[in-house]
Amino acid sequence: MGQKQSAASPRGLTKYPKEQRDLADNIILACGQCHAEIDDPATLDMFTVQKLIETKRNHEERIKHVTGLGDDRRTVVLRMIGQLRGNPLELAQRTAAEAVIASSDRFPYFKLSYDRYGLEIDLRQLSGEHADTKDANSAPTAEYYGSAKAMIDEVVGNKLNDGLRKGHVEHVSVFAYARLPLLVYLGRKLGDGYGIDFYQRQQTTDSWIWPNLNPPVEFDIALPPVANGTEAILLASISGTVHETEIPQHLKHYPVFHMRPVNRTPSGGIIDSRDTLKNLRMTYRRFFGELERRHKDIVRLHLFGALPISAAITLGRVRDPVIQPSIVTYDLVDHGSYEQAIEIR
């Protein structure tokens, strides 16, 4: 409410005791630009008393929540930013911080980097990152993937692990937007010495905050009748359907494992909660356990996946690189055509 009970004071005629208008409950601190916008006569119908009170209370609750968290609730923010199918994506420090605060009982910790922006893998600076993947002639090259892997190795293998050794890292919040092979590789590099929360931009809300809109989804694995030999194929149809007809001709003689959601059509928004991602992680573990029990001879697994970002990273992290098959990743480059990218050992 305005300080003075008059029409000259914005919202001044509101029925609110004059002697209480200078109390903290009725005060919002704002910069000059925001102050002018809030009190502009043209926007008074937007910034009503009710709206300002709600905004003030929400902000105070958020600050109370964050400042009430101890050091053991801090999380190091790791962002990997690229261009997928030629499309850039906004993933600023503030965006990541707001998602962490809204989606968890943790607060973002940026001390590991000199600029206090957290750990960042910026693939946009690489030659080949802007390749139009609808044109197979300009698909990412081996040199591009080599450079991208080196960037991931530097940030995760050196900076993050150094922070782990020094006791600065107990938990990590991962935000990523990149090609599937690099997401799986990032998961491979993230160790098991700390807890991890994964975030991905949600199609239904255009936000990095988990919406938790639907009951958790279960996933299943269809096994081939025979799986002899040292190589096999995994078709992971989670965010879309991958058909056996899309397998390159020279691989069609390998046994094929199918992974799909149970009683749900694969779709881009299928993983909209941490519980669904947890179910998929357990499905990955069951799958690799099945390989260990019944198909020990398989040493290379060819991955053709329609996987959400968090699902791709989780796959790389779940796999045990010592006893489980290497993963040969493929990238979709030309109207359903897959091209081999990198082998993750």
Side-chain angles (χ1 to χ4, degrees), residues 217-220 236 238 259-260 271 274-286 307-308 310-312 314-315 318:
V217 178
E218 301 285 344
F219 301 90
D220 196 16
I238 308 300
M259 189 176 295
R260 304 185 184 93
I271 297 185
R274 288 201 176 100
D275 286 340
T276 292
L277 182 60
K278 179 181 178 180
N279 289 343
L280 182 58
R281 182 172 70 247
M282 298 305 297
T283 303
Y284 287 150
R285 293 193 185 281
R286 291 202 314 270
L307 292 172
S310 59
T314 299
L315 174 60
V318 162

Side-chain angles (χ1 to χ4, degrees), residues 109-289:
Y109 180 67
F110 297 105
K111 191 176 179 179
L112 286 186
S113 59
Y114 291 112
D115 59 8
R116 301 299 176 91
Y117 271 71
L119 297 177
E120 183 179 84
I121 305 168
D122 191 351
L123 303 172
R124 296 168 297 184
Q125 61 185 281
L126 294 180
S127 174
E129 175 61 26
H130 304 278
D132 180 7
T133 53
K134 293 180 181 179
D135 178 1
N137 294 325
S138 61
T141 63
E143 289 75 17
Y144 163 79
Y145 280 117
S147 298
K149 288 169 58 180
M151 291 186 69
I152 295 172
D153 292 345
E154 168 62 22
V155 172
V156 178
N158 293 333
K159 293 181 181 179
L160 185 60
N161 287 343
D162 181 61
L164 179 65
R165 288 190 294 270
K166 293 178 178 178
H168 297 313
V169 179
E170 295 179 356
H171 188 275
V172 181
S173 293
V174 177
F175 295 76
Y177 188 75
R179 293 181 173 89
L180 183 144
L182 296 178
L183 297 171
V184 180
Y185 185 76
L186 175 63
R188 161 69 176 86
K189 297 299 293 186
L190 292 169
D192 289 325
Y194 40 80
I196 294 182
D197 284 342
F198 294 112
Y199 293 83
Q200 64 184 34
R201 188 166 182 84
Q202 298 294 319
Q203 295 182 357
T204 53
T205 60
D206 287 333
S207 170
W208 291 85
I209 299 171
W210 288 105
N212 302 310
L213 295 175
N214 301 297
V217 178
E218 301 285 344
F219 301 90
D220 196 16
I221 311 160
L223 306 178
V226 179
N228 297 326
T230 59
E231 302 192 40
I233 292 171
L234 172 61
L235 298 188
S237 299
I238 308 300
S239 58
T241 302
V242 186
H243 301 279
E244 290 195 27
T245 55
E246 299 175 88
I247 299 173
Q249 190 63 39
H250 68 284
L251 301 178
K252 286 186 179 292
H253 60 287
Y254 292 140
V256 179
F257 296 82
H258 290 268
M259 189 176 295
R260 304 185 184 93
V262 176
N263 298 324
R264 285 282 300 273
T265 300
S267 64
I270 197 167
I271 297 185
D272 67 352
S273 70
R274 288 201 176 100
D275 286 340
T276 292
L277 182 60
K278 179 181 178 180
N279 289 343
L280 182 58
R281 182 172 70 247
M282 298 305 297
T283 303
Y284 287 150
R285 293 193 185 281
R286 291 202 314 270
F287 169 67
F288 284 116

Side-chain angles (χ1 to χ4, degrees), residues 80-96:
M80 184 165 78
I81 310 171
Q83 287 199 173
L84 194 58
R85 307 287 177 246
N87 298 316
L89 187 71
E90 186 276 325
L91 183 47
Q93 176 201 20
R94 180 172 178 174
T95 301

Side-chain angles (χ1 to χ4, degrees), residues 303-340:
L303 171 65
F304 296 87
L307 292 172
I309 286 171
S310 59
I313 304 174
T314 299
L315 174 60
R317 189 169 189 242
V318 162
R319 168 187 160 268
D320 187 328
V322 176
I323 62 175
Q324 292 171 347
S326 65
I327 299 178
V328 183
T329 59
Y330 292 79
D331 201 8
L332 189 62
V333 295
D334 184 27
H335 302 295
S337 174
Y338 284 90
E339 183 171 295
Q340 182 173 333

Side-chain angles (χ1 to χ4, degrees), residues 17-36:
K18 182 180 178 181
E19 62 273 11
Q20 296 183 23
R21 296 193 176 206
D22 282 334
L23 298 181
D25 285 346
N26 187 48
I27 295 176
I28 294 178
L29 297 179
C31 68
Q33 182 177 350
C34 289
H35 191 284

